[in-house]
Structures are given as structure tokens and as C-alpha cells.
Amino acid sequence: MKKIDSDTLLTLYESAFYVRTVEQIIADNYSKGLIRCPTHLSIGQEMVPALVSHFNNNNDLAVSTHRAHGHYLAKGGSLPLFFDELHGLKSGCSAGNGGSMHLNDKKVGFIGSTAIVANTIPVGVGLAQSLKIDGSNNFVYIFLGDGATEEGVFYESLHYAKLYSLPCLFIIENNEFSVYTPIQLRHSNELKDKVNGFGIQYVFNDNHNYRSLYGDFLKAIEYLRNGNGPFVFEVMTHRHREHCGPNYDDELGYREKEFLDKWESMDILDIFMKDMLLEGIKQVKISNSQNKIIERVTKAFEDSQNLANQIIPDPT
Amino acid sequence: MSLLVTQAINQALDEVLLSKDRSVCIGLGINDPKRIFNTTQNLVEKYGNTRVIEPPTSENALTGIAFGLCLRGYSVCLTHQRLDFSLLSFDQIINTISKWKFMFGEEKQELSCLIRMIVGRGWGQGPTHSQSYHSFLSSLPGLKVLYPFDSDSAYHSVKYGMNSGNPTVLIEHRWLHNSIGDLDKKTSKNKYISSLIKLAAGTSITIFTYGYMVPEAIKATEILKEYNISVDLFVAVDLSDFDLSPLLESLNKTNNITLIECYTLKCSIVNDISTKIITDKKTRLGIDSFNILALEQGHESTSFSKTKTRYNSYIEIVENTLRQLNKEQIYLKKSYYHDIPGEWFKGPF
């Protein structure tokens, strides 16, 4: 297992905390009616964004899904433009036309997220092919969920990426539910077997083992930059809230209590916190980081809400 | 210089690949011995298989991949040997390509993505090799749909799709592939965009058509002229957007009109034009006759005998025009083989 120094550990925590804080402020304010678009929060799924943020290079590209906030922020996407987009403002990152599910910030290589399941996967492969033809050693993050691995275009894309040895890092965040439907009802065999069938490198990560995933990122990035072809990560994770929206929906009973308890005990922020304290990072240092992030996020959000307030009539 | 439509397409692709290093052609059969009806002849030999790509059979992914290349500034031509196969890629065409600029507020982004869709007819093309959803595609904002009718319009349509920065669908009718015509590279490169083309001037009747029915309409116009019927003939190549005012002005002059559709009538280009004519304040009260020729609603059979009356030709145009203008019918001998464009066509598809 790769040793992670304390500075890196704090950076990983800050990235995860940043995404959590952004998502939390959206959840806390959604009911005000100023964010008027379907919104899929990443709360609970911050581990992958934290690692992507750590290894980010703006010349590496990314495409994502309906649940893209964490990926956009991890790539360094503009926070004010993000909040403006959620508020449907012309100043948003997609001019207010896209909303939560259609984000982009080309300056940092975040090319786009779209809402149709698996829709951006081949687009990411095409981006990778352009990089290869150009002789670049950059690569493309292709983020998807477990539901997208059930789409034909995913397999077409894997096949094509392997055939042309394209620099694609497919990252599947498997939260085990396609809206309310559990993976056991949807998958006949392991994704690993399917991916290996294409002769593609595959890594499985469970229990929010960020140290293991950190080492896998190092290995995969070197593999991709050296032109060896695609790589697949399947990362088990957990969304705390409902599929779409700001609320919890555990009262519906579609996820077992044991399942929820298990993931509650493996919240990535708690894991990072525990390890930081074990590493001897002072609580005051952590608190300072938290406060700076909260201040930054709150300011950007309030600025955006103030703009939205001038446009959207008060429902009361 | 006279060229076949296939040669004109080949020449346009060749010129784009030569002039733009960051351009790519991709499609099933592009490098096979038949080279997509010769349209991709010699391209891989000149530009290599990194830029002239023979891909796996994955239409939906290919479309997204082609578009991904465009997003990084490549001009890409993706070819389907039949439009019917492109239906597997409508997620990418509709949900991605047509709306990318809008969805991300990037209206000025250059996205030169050309998708060639070849439409079959006759020789048993039947229910899955003859469909032509150009009308539906032309209804999608953000997508340009071009349907050339000769070598010149085919050449310029390919050039437009590869150079304009606007995602473009090229409807390429198989029966036009071997028609021969001149190339005019001197006049405006956008001469077919957003406008109607007037191919004949007349006072008896206004006729509108496009695509593979254009040569039929030209032939009908020539025959009718012998009977003192002069046709104001308008055609469109850009099905997404054209200024209808020349047609409306013509109708005000002739008071008779025939609209000729290349596919079935329901939700078609011709129905769209009909609505515009009906709602046009100047013309709606003054029409003496109004006629439409289109394929009968329904799927196409592969049977020789069952498709005898499915398509219209210059003969139906002449007969309908004479009937419409209350003129005496003339006898025109029909070809026994209704399912081939000419003796050159020996199958298989």
C-alpha cells in the first residue's frame, strides 16, 4: 500500500470536504426554490473527486454524468460559474441552459456532463482518440455510474478504446442502486469479468479504501501516459441522499438498514479525519482548512443566490 | 469538369483531408474493397489509417467518438452505408450532437461533424434499407440537414459539413450516385445553404422538390414544355432552413403548385411547406390547384411486385401536372424495371 504523507492526506480531505460543503449548501437551500432544476448530489461519493483533484492536470480531460458536481469541482471547475448554472443564470458555466446535469469548464479540461445514462462515454473515447492522434500524453477521465455499465454503448466504447489503445480512464462509481433498483436485480455477473474480457486493465476498490485507490491512480496514470491503452476503476461508494434532490429517502425502505449503517460507518470524511488525527495533524489546522472552505463556498453561493433573487420571483 | 456524384463526394473528402491535418474520415467499409460505392477511393492510401479509419460495428459509440474528435477541433466525416444503421446512433445525434452548443452555452463553438447517411431504394431494399428520416432530422435545432441532388450540390454539401463548424447530416441517395454533372467551385461555397434554388422559370405551375426527385422533376419539366406548360421549378438542398419567399412569390404568379416529397407525407418537409403556404396571408385565398406527390404511408416491401407503385417518377409528375391543369393526358412508357435507377445498377445494394 502506498504511503500517503500528511500534507497529501490533508489535501485529500480538503478536496472531499470542499465537495461535501458545496453539496451541503445546495441541499440546505434547495427548498427556497431558487435552484429550479433536477439536482443529483454527490454527498457520500467524495472519495473519487478527492483523488481526481489531487492528480489533476488541466490538460487531462473529463466527461461525466448527471451526478457530476464532484467531478466538475475535482477538475477545478469554477465555483461561481457552477452555482450560477444551478440557478439558471446567463453567467453560469453553461449559460444557464444546462443546469446541474450539464456542466462544463473547458479551461480545466472538464469538457461536459450530460444526463442520458452512458451518453458521454463514447464522447470521452473520441476525445482520447484526438489526444492520441495529436501525440499527446494526456488522458481522459470518463466518469460513469453502475447503471451505465448496463448500456450497450459502454461496451462499444470499451472495445473501441482497447482496439485503438486509447488513453481513457473509466471510473465507475458503483453505489449499487440505479435510482431505487439494486444491482443484484440488474447484473448477471461481475463487471470485472466483463472488463477483463476486453483485455482491459481493471481495478476494484471497496470500503472507501483511499490508500489503495491512491496507488492505483499512480499506476493507471503512468500506464495511460505511456500510451498503453485504457484502464478501468470500479469504486464501490455510497450516495447518502435520494437519487435526485436534496433529501434523504431511506423511509422508502429500498436500502437495508445494515447497508446504510455499513456505509455510514465508512463515510469518507470520517475516514480521512480519523487518519489525519492518527498522522498527527492538529485539529486546529484542520479547522482552519474547513473554515476557509466554508467561507469560500458560502460567499460564492450567496453571490449567486443574490443574483437569482433578482430574477426569480419570491414564491411567497 | 463532369463528375459522378460519387466522384464529387470523393473529391470533396480528399480536398478536406489534404487541406486540414486535423480531419478524419470514419465509417464501416470506408477502406474495404468497394470503398462505400467508391466515395472513399484512395483516401486511406493518401492519408493513412490513423485519419481514414475502418472502425468496429458500433454505430452509437462511433457517433459519440466522432463528436469527441470534433470537440478537440477535428473535422470528422462519419459514413453510414444506409441511414437505417444510423438509427442505432440517434442517442448521440439527438441528445449530444444537435444540442451540445446550446446545452453548454457555446453557440460559437466550431463543431464540424459531418454524418453521411446513404438512403437505399429498389432492388429489395425493403423495410430496413430504404428509410429516410431526413424530415425529422431537419426538425432538430442545432443540426444542419443537407440533401444534395447532383454532383455540384454533393461536393459543396460535403465541404460545408467538414468546414462550417455546424454539425451536419448529409442525406445521400443511392440512386443519385451514378448521375453525372459539372462542378462549379467558383460561385459561393454556401450557395445551397438557407436558400431555394430555382432550376427552371415558368408561368403555368410552381413545383417544389429536393433530393432524388430533382432529376425526375427536371425531366418532367422538359416534357411539359413540349406541351406548352412552363414550370417554375424550385429545389432545396438545405432542408433545415430555407427562405420560402421565392416559392410563395411564384405561387402568387402561377396559382398552381405541386410539392414533391422524397419519403412518406406524414411529418414531412412537404407538410411543413404546406402549412407555411396555407398560413401565408398573400397566397391562401388565391390558389387554383394544390397537389402533393409522396410515398404511400407505410413500410416498404422488399418485393419487386409489391413496390411497383410505391415511388413516383417524372411520369407521375407529368401526369399529375396535366390533370392538375385540366389538360389532356399523354402516354409515357414506363420502364419495366421500376426498382433500379438505370441499367448500370446490378445490385446487390
Side-chain angles (χ1 to χ4, degrees):
Chain A
M1 190 97 48
K2 176 76 182 173
K3 169 76 177 156
I4 297 176
D5 62 51
S6 58
D7 285 349
T8 302
L9 186 54
L10 179 60
T11 305
L12 291 175
Y13 174 75
E14 286 172 340
S15 299
F17 185 78
Y18 172 53
V19 174
R20 177 73 59 93
T21 306
V22 169
E23 299 292 64
Q24 191 66 53
I25 204 166
I26 295 167
D28 292 346
N29 289 277
Y30 195 83
S31 63
K32 287 184 184 170
L34 292 173
I35 295 174
R36 305 178 77 83
C37 63
T39 302
H40 304 74
L41 299 175
S42 310
I43 295 176
Q45 299 190 185
E46 296 91 346
M47 182 176 72
V48 163
L51 286 156
V52 169
S53 178
H54 178 72
F55 290 105
N56 185 38
N57 170 338
N58 286 350
N59 294 321
D60 294 328
L61 309 176
V63 292
S64 183
T65 70
H66 56 285
R67 197 180 307 284
H69 296 183
H71 311 139
Y72 171 95
L73 297 169
K75 278 293 286 162
S78 161
L79 185 62
L81 299 189
F82 167 78
F83 280 142
D84 284 0
E85 188 58 38
L86 262 61
H87 287 100
L89 301 172
K90 276 193 285 190
S91 50
C93 63
S94 298
N97 291 337
S100 159
M101 295 186 285
H102 309 101
L103 304 172
N104 87 110
D105 190 340
K106 287 207 290 266
K107 286 180 187 160
V108 296
F110 191 86
I111 302 301
S113 62
T114 71
I116 304 300
V117 178
N119 174 269
T120 53
I121 295 172
V123 176
V125 174
L127 292 168
Q129 189 158 31
S130 75
L131 291 171
K132 174 147 187 175
I133 298 173
D134 286 349
S136 163
N137 70 349
N138 291 110
F139 66 90
V140 183
Y141 291 98
I142 299 176
F143 296 107
L144 59 146
D146 46 296
T149 70
E150 294 151 23
E151 298 282 1
V153 76
F154 171 59
Y155 297 99
E156 292 182 8
S157 298
L158 283 181
H159 178 224
Y160 192 96
K162 176 63 181 174
L163 183 65
Y164 291 97
S165 291
L166 301 180
C168 305
L169 178 52
F170 296 90
I171 301 184
I172 298 139
E173 288 173 289
N174 183 346
N175 64 24
E176 302 187 52
F177 284 83
S178 177
V179 190
Y180 300 119
T181 307
I183 199 162
Q184 294 80 6
L185 295 181
R186 301 183 283 118
H187 286 205
S188 58
N189 57 347
E190 301 294 325
L191 181 64
K192 176 185 179 180
D193 297 336
K194 299 171 198 167
V195 173
N196 285 342
F198 288 98
I200 294 175
Q201 297 289 315
Y202 168 90
V203 157
F204 180 74
N205 186 282
D206 201 1
N207 301 323
H208 278 164
N209 187 342
Y210 72 90
R211 290 179 189 276
S212 169
L213 193 60
Y214 186 93
D216 293 330
F217 261 88
L218 287 172
K219 188 169 107 183
I221 290 172
E222 185 184 2
Y223 184 89
L224 290 155
R225 296 216 193 283
N226 286 334
N228 293 313
F231 216 110
V232 171
F233 288 175
E234 182 180 13
V235 181
M236 303 305 292
T237 189
H238 180 67
R239 71 168 151 79
H240 288 197
R241 307 286 174 117
E242 58 194 333
H243 164 71
C244 180
N247 303 310
Y248 293 96
D249 62 354
D250 298 325
E251 76 283 1
L252 297 173
Y254 67 100
R255 300 189 291 193
E256 299 287 340
K257 184 173 185 307
E258 293 75 18
F259 175 86
L260 296 170
D261 289 346
K262 179 187 105 175
W263 281 106
E264 184 70 32
S265 72
M266 291 191 296
D267 185 281
I268 189 62
L269 290 186
D270 293 344
I271 291 173
F272 280 140
M273 180 63 79
K274 185 178 155 205
D275 288 358
M276 284 191 298
L277 295 175
L278 281 173
E279 284 283 328
I281 301 173
K282 302 286 185 214
Q283 179 64 59
V284 65
K285 190 173 184 182
I286 299 168
S287 297
N288 280 343
S289 283
Q290 289 174 331
N291 290 337
K292 280 180 191 168
I293 291 166
I294 290 168
E295 190 180 342
R296 178 185 166 208
V297 170
T298 305
K299 165 87 169 55
F301 187 77
E302 286 176 355
D303 286 350
S304 193
Q305 288 248 301
N306 289 338
L307 279 175
N309 254 323
Q310 294 168 24
I311 295 166
I312 300 170
D314 183 343
T316 59
Chain B
M1 179 176 50
S2 290
L3 290 175
L4 300 175
V5 166
T6 50
Q7 292 170 323
I9 291 167
N10 180 249
Q11 187 172 125
L13 291 172
D14 194 347
E15 288 175 9
V16 174
L17 287 165
L18 181 65
S19 64
K20 287 178 148 180
D21 287 341
R22 300 186 90 217
S23 59
V24 163
C25 289
I26 186 166
L28 296 173
I30 198 167
N31 296 336
D32 76 10
K34 296 197 174 180
R35 303 291 169 105
I36 310 191
F37 313 114
N38 298 323
T39 58
T40 58
Q41 201 70 258
N42 298 320
L43 298 182
V44 70
E45 287 79 5
K46 287 184 181 177
Y47 306 104
N49 59 13
T50 303
R51 292 179 61 206
V52 185
I53 302 168
E54 177 77 42
T57 313
S58 307
E59 287 85 356
N60 196 22
L62 285 182
T63 310
I65 289 163
F67 192 66
L69 280 154
C70 293
L71 285 169
R72 288 202 65 252
Y74 277 79
S75 292
V76 182
C77 176
L78 168 65
T79 302
H80 298 282
Q81 297 205 35
R82 283 293 181 272
L83 179 146
D84 315 67
F85 297 108
S86 77
L87 300 179
L88 288 160
S89 66
F90 267 33
D91 169 46
Q92 289 300 322
I93 292 174
I94 300 167
N95 287 321
T96 305
I97 295 176
S98 81
K99 54 179 62 73
W100 191 275
K101 290 186 189 185
F102 169 78
M103 197 156 62
F104 295 112
E106 298 271 5
E107 299 291 352
K108 290 181 180 167
Q109 191 172 7
E110 297 268 319
L111 294 170
S112 291
C113 186
L114 173 67
I115 305 176
R116 291 172 58 201
M117 300 181 183
I118 297 169
V119 176
R121 170 183 163 183
W123 203 274
Q125 298 298 292
T128 60
H129 275 57
S130 66
Q131 297 170 96
S132 194
Y133 297 116
H134 50 271
S135 294
F136 163 69
L137 288 165
S138 75
S139 75
L140 296 171
L143 199 64
K144 189 66 107 176
V145 177
L146 305 179
Y147 196 153
F149 61 88
D150 65 0
S151 299
D152 191 59
S153 53
Y155 171 87
H156 286 287
S157 295
V158 170
K159 284 294 197 75
Y160 178 88
M162 294 286 276
N163 291 325
S164 66
N166 297 316
T168 301
V169 167
L170 181 72
I171 305 292
E172 198 176 303
H173 201 273
R174 179 76 182 105
W175 280 29
L176 292 172
H177 270 162
N178 270 33
S179 62
I180 196 160
D182 294 335
L183 282 194
D184 173 11
K185 297 186 184 179
K186 289 178 184 168
T187 50
S188 165
K189 61 184 179 181
N190 287 336
K191 60 183 165 181
Y192 296 106
I193 304 305
S194 304
S195 60
L196 290 175
I197 312 294
K198 187 166 179 170
L199 291 184
T203 55
S204 310
I205 187 166
T206 304
I207 292 181
F208 166 85
T209 194
Y210 62 95
Y212 72 85
M213 285 305 288
V214 174
E216 303 292 338
I218 292 170
K219 192 168 180 179
T221 299
E222 288 165 358
I223 293 170
L224 289 165
K225 195 174 177 182
E226 293 171 21
Y227 295 87
N228 294 322
I229 295 169
S230 63
V231 176
D232 234 12
L233 177 60
F234 294 89
V235 305
V237 171
D238 180 355
L239 303 186
S240 304
D241 170 39
F242 49 83
D243 175 15
L244 204 61
S245 53
L247 187 90
L248 297 172
E249 285 166 23
S250 169
L251 179 54
N252 282 332
K253 177 179 67 184
T254 64
N255 288 323
N256 298 289
I257 188 163
T258 295
L259 305 174
I260 305 171
E261 174 60 50
C262 282
Y263 200 53
T264 53
L265 188 59
K266 201 162 186 176
C267 303
S268 67
I269 292 286
V270 156
N271 260 353
D272 194 33
I273 294 174
S274 302
T275 304
K276 286 174 181 166
I277 291 172
I278 290 166
T279 53
D280 182 70
K281 287 178 183 171
K282 289 179 188 166
T283 57
R284 63 182 170 191
L285 298 176
I287 301 174
D288 292 338
S289 69
F290 184 102
N291 195 23
I292 287 176
L293 289 176
L295 276 62
E296 190 178 333
Q297 190 66 33
H299 297 304
E300 181 161 328
S301 171
T302 57
S303 157
F304 176 82
S305 60
K306 286 185 176 178
T307 50
K308 271 190 170 176
T309 59
R310 180 163 174 83
Y311 285 91
N312 295 302
S313 71
Y314 72 93
I315 294 175
E316 283 75 23
I317 300 172
V318 169
E319 288 175 352
N320 276 278
T321 304
L322 293 171
R323 197 175 302 121
Q324 198 172 340
L325 300 178
N326 297 315
K327 304 286 186 185
E328 192 176 336
Q329 286 291 334
I330 57 175
Y331 174 72
L332 294 167
K333 187 182 177 190
K334 294 187 178 179
S335 165
Y336 180 75
Y337 297 111
H338 67 277
D339 63 341
I340 53 172
E343 291 301 317
W344 61 270
F345 189 89
K346 306 294 182 189
F349 68 98

